[in-house]
Amino acid sequence: MKEAKEQSKPRNFTESVDIIINIRDLDVNKPENRFNEEVTLPNGRGKDVKIGVIADGELIVQAKDAGLDTVINKQDLEEFGKDRKSAKKMANSVDFLIAQADMMPLVGRFLGPVLGPRGKMPKPVPASIKLDPLLERLQNTVKVGLKTQASIQVVVGSQNMSDEDIAETMFIKTTMGPVVRVI
């Protein structure tokens, strides 16, 4: 990690640190060889994750209290259904979406065609959930997937994080051997 940071040219922003894993002899044209999962990092990404909430009532209040920029109510959903351009802009502005479970049919109807292809369909949650723990977990979450190439590239931190905090994410082992932390 130290070498990667040293070889990087200075930028006007904090760069992300990615891990890249190339997989050999795997046919990604077969659907059973593809996946898309979410992984929680022990020390987060080192940058804020943008989260949006689609809800009514108490969940909207919690989302606004948490300071989320993207808070969508039932009326906003209908507007997004009429204005595809603003729906795409919203979808591109968030990393994760959470939706009140009873609003999922409306989400599918008005935003499904925009969110589905982007892999950003919201996680349904009950109206009675406490939002803060979920938001905290999502701040430390990354999407890991294998779709069109036999290679996985995922953010594991940012340039301003310590090498130790980033390395805490990575382990390696042989099939029957012990797990060893990458240093």
Side-chain angles (χ1 to χ4, degrees), residues 1-3 5 159-170 182-183:
M1 250 159 305
K2 195 176 288 183
E3 188 176 334
K5 286 181 179 180
Q159 196 175 24
N160 60 1
M161 291 175 69
S162 73
D163 293 345
E164 293 77 21
D165 281 352
I166 295 170
E168 191 174 335
T169 308
M170 296 174 262
V182 175
I183 307 175

Side-chain angles (χ1 to χ4, degrees), residues 36-134:
N36 193 17
E37 297 294 328
E38 292 178 358
V39 176
T40 303
L41 300 173
N43 297 304
R45 296 179 175 198
K47 293 182 178 181
D48 280 343
V49 174
K50 296 193 181 356
I51 303 168
V53 173
I54 303 168
D56 267 340
E58 176 60 27
L59 274 183
I60 284 245
V61 173
Q62 288 185 55
K64 288 180 179 175
D65 288 348
L68 297 181
D69 293 331
T70 306
V71 181
I72 301 166
N73 61 30
K74 198 176 287 188
Q75 184 179 346
D76 296 332
L77 272 179
E78 292 172 7
E79 291 301 316
F80 282 133
K82 296 174 191 167
D83 185 359
R84 190 77 148 237
K85 189 175 180 179
S86 67
K88 288 179 181 180
K89 186 177 178 181
M90 180 279 300
N92 292 335
S93 73
V94 295
D95 297 303
F96 295 103
L97 282 167
I98 301 166
Q100 193 169 304
D102 61 355
M103 293 182 69
M104 285 301 290
L106 293 175
V107 171
R109 181 173 157 202
F110 295 121
L111 287 175
V114 173
L115 298 176
R118 288 170 172 74
K120 293 190 179 181
M121 284 303 283
K123 297 173 189 349
V125 296
S128 60
I129 193 170
K130 293 290 180 214
L131 213 47
D132 285 341
L134 180 58

